[in-house]
Amino acid sequence: MVDQNKIKEAVRLLLEGIGEDVEREGLADTPDRIARMYAEIYKGMDEDPMQHLSKTFAVDSNEIVVEKDITFYSVCEHHMLPFYGRVHIAYLPEGRVVGLSKLARTVEVYARRLQIQEQMTTQIAEAVMECLKPQGVMVMAEAEHLCMTMRGVAKPGSQTVTMAARGCFVDNPQMQQYFFEMIRR
C-alpha cells in the first residue's frame, strides 16, 4: 500500500536537497500532487495480475490469439524514471481463452510497479502460462527508457526490445515467425 504521507515528506526533502524553497507558490502543493500521482503510477503493487486472467472461456478450436500494441507506462527501478512502449502477446490456447481486455489489464498491473522491462516481459508470459495453461505463449515488449534517453548516454528514440517464449513457441521457428508477422501488420 502506498503511504502518501511518507511520499510527501520525501518529496519535501528532495526539493530541499536540490536547493528549492518548498514554500514558494509553485512548489507548495507539489508534495501532495506527487503523492497522489505515485498512488496512481504504482497501483500495480497492490493488484494481483492473476485476477484478470482467472475468468476464461471454452473454445472449440485452438487457433493462435494475438493481442498487439498494448501501450504501457512503467518506471525503471534503477533510476525511477519512466519507460514506455508497447507489448505484444500471442498464445496458442488449449481449449480456453481469456477476454482480450484481460491481457491488457495484466500488462497494466505489471507495468504499474517499479520494474525492469526484462522482468515485466517474463512476468506477463509466466502469468498467461499459469492461468490459461495454453500450448504456449510469446510476449514481446518494445520501450523507450528515459533513464537512457534523457540522461547518461542520452540517445533519444532508442528502443529496448525484450521477448519471452514459453511452451510451443520456444523451439518452433514457424510459430515465432508467425508471431513476428502478425505483430508487424
Side-chain angles (χ1 to χ4, degrees), residues 79-176:
H79 299 98
M80 292 187 71
L81 286 172
F83 67 97
Y84 59 93
R86 300 172 311 185
V87 170
H88 316 286
I89 303 170
Y91 69 96
L92 193 60
E94 186 65 70
R96 312 273 317 159
V97 295
V98 69
L100 297 177
S101 70
K102 304 309 183 191
L103 295 172
R105 290 182 191 283
T106 302
V107 170
E108 184 79 0
V109 169
Y110 285 118
R112 296 291 182 150
R113 300 173 175 191
L114 281 175
Q115 190 62 275
I116 62 171
Q117 181 177 332
E118 299 88 342
Q119 175 177 277
M120 183 182 78
T121 305
T122 298
Q123 289 170 329
I124 295 164
E126 292 292 333
V128 172
M129 282 300 286
E130 183 179 329
C131 288
L132 300 183
K133 309 273 191 265
Q135 296 174 54
V137 64
M138 191 152 181
V139 177
M140 179 172 155
E142 304 170 287
E144 183 169 338
H145 293 248
L146 268 60
C147 59
M148 192 172 133
T149 62
M150 72 179 280
R151 59 158 300 279
V153 297
K155 299 296 180 200
S158 61
Q159 293 279 308
T160 300
V161 179
T162 53
M163 292 191 326
R166 301 291 184 270
C168 67
F169 284 93
V170 173
D171 294 319
N172 188 329
Q174 287 180 296
M175 290 295 291
Q176 293 172 8

Side-chain angles (χ1 to χ4, degrees), residues 47-59:
E47 290 185 49
D48 177 8
M50 304 307 181
Q51 77 183 32
H52 300 296
L53 297 172
S54 63
K55 181 156 178 56
T56 61
F57 307 94
V59 291

